[in-house]
Amino acid sequence: FAAREDRYIKHLLTWRRWELNRVDLRHQVLLRKLDRLIQYLNAVRAVWSNERDQILPEEKEEHSRQTRIFDLCLRSGAPEDEVKLVLSEFEEDTSD
């Protein structure tokens, strides 16, 4: 009975660590996503108040790409570096 209890406790510890890592990753991704959104909105406000020229298509594309990466991180639970790597490989394969 003690061995079974020991295995169950180890399983719970492993599960909780995994769950905490997942929650921590989501928290970090959401903070970065919020920061990027604030930066983009500040750029839009600067355009509206004539403090800068309009937002370039490259900036819009970069913003949407970064947003896509963050969304994939949140859905998959994978770190941003891994998602970027897989996404760039996918883009290379589909661009041929």
Side-chain angles (χ1 to χ4, degrees), residues 1 4 9 32-34 37 42 44 52 57-58 60-62 67 71 78 80 84 87:
F1 182 73
R4 180 190 231 179
I9 290 173
R32 295 218 38 214
K33 188 174 180 179
L34 178 62
L37 180 60
N42 286 338
V44 170
R52 67 166 272 177
E58 295 86 19
K60 289 180 183 178
E61 187 176 316
E62 175 60 28
T67 300
D71 288 342
E80 186 178 344
K84 283 183 180 179
L87 186 60

Side-chain angles (χ1 to χ4, degrees), residues 6-92:
D6 210 28
R7 283 194 314 256
Y8 181 69
I9 290 173
K10 286 180 184 178
H11 170 74
L12 278 179
L13 284 173
T14 303
W15 175 256
R16 292 294 180 206
R17 284 186 188 125
W18 179 83
E19 193 173 346
L20 288 173
N21 286 338
R22 188 176 65 99
V23 168
D24 186 45
L25 176 71
R26 289 180 64 105
H27 182 252
Q28 291 172 6
V29 169
L30 287 170
L31 285 176
R32 295 218 38 214
K33 188 174 180 179
L34 178 62
D35 185 51
R36 294 280 299 179
L37 180 60
I38 290 170
Q39 290 174 9
Y40 189 74
L41 289 176
N42 286 338
V44 170
R45 281 191 197 118
V47 170
W48 286 344
S49 62
N50 293 326
E51 294 174 7
R52 67 166 272 177
D53 293 333
Q54 67 183 24
I55 296 174
L56 301 173
E58 295 86 19
E59 290 177 293
K60 289 180 183 178
E61 187 176 316
E62 175 60 28
H63 175 73
S64 66
R65 179 176 172 24
Q66 197 64 37
T67 300
R68 183 176 183 202
I69 289 171
F70 289 144
D71 288 342
L72 290 171
C73 287
L74 291 172
R75 288 183 183 177
S76 69
E80 186 178 344
D81 295 337
E82 289 180 23
V83 171
K84 283 183 180 179
L85 180 66
V86 171
L87 186 60
S88 64
E89 289 174 2
F90 175 76
E91 289 170 345
E92 287 176 12

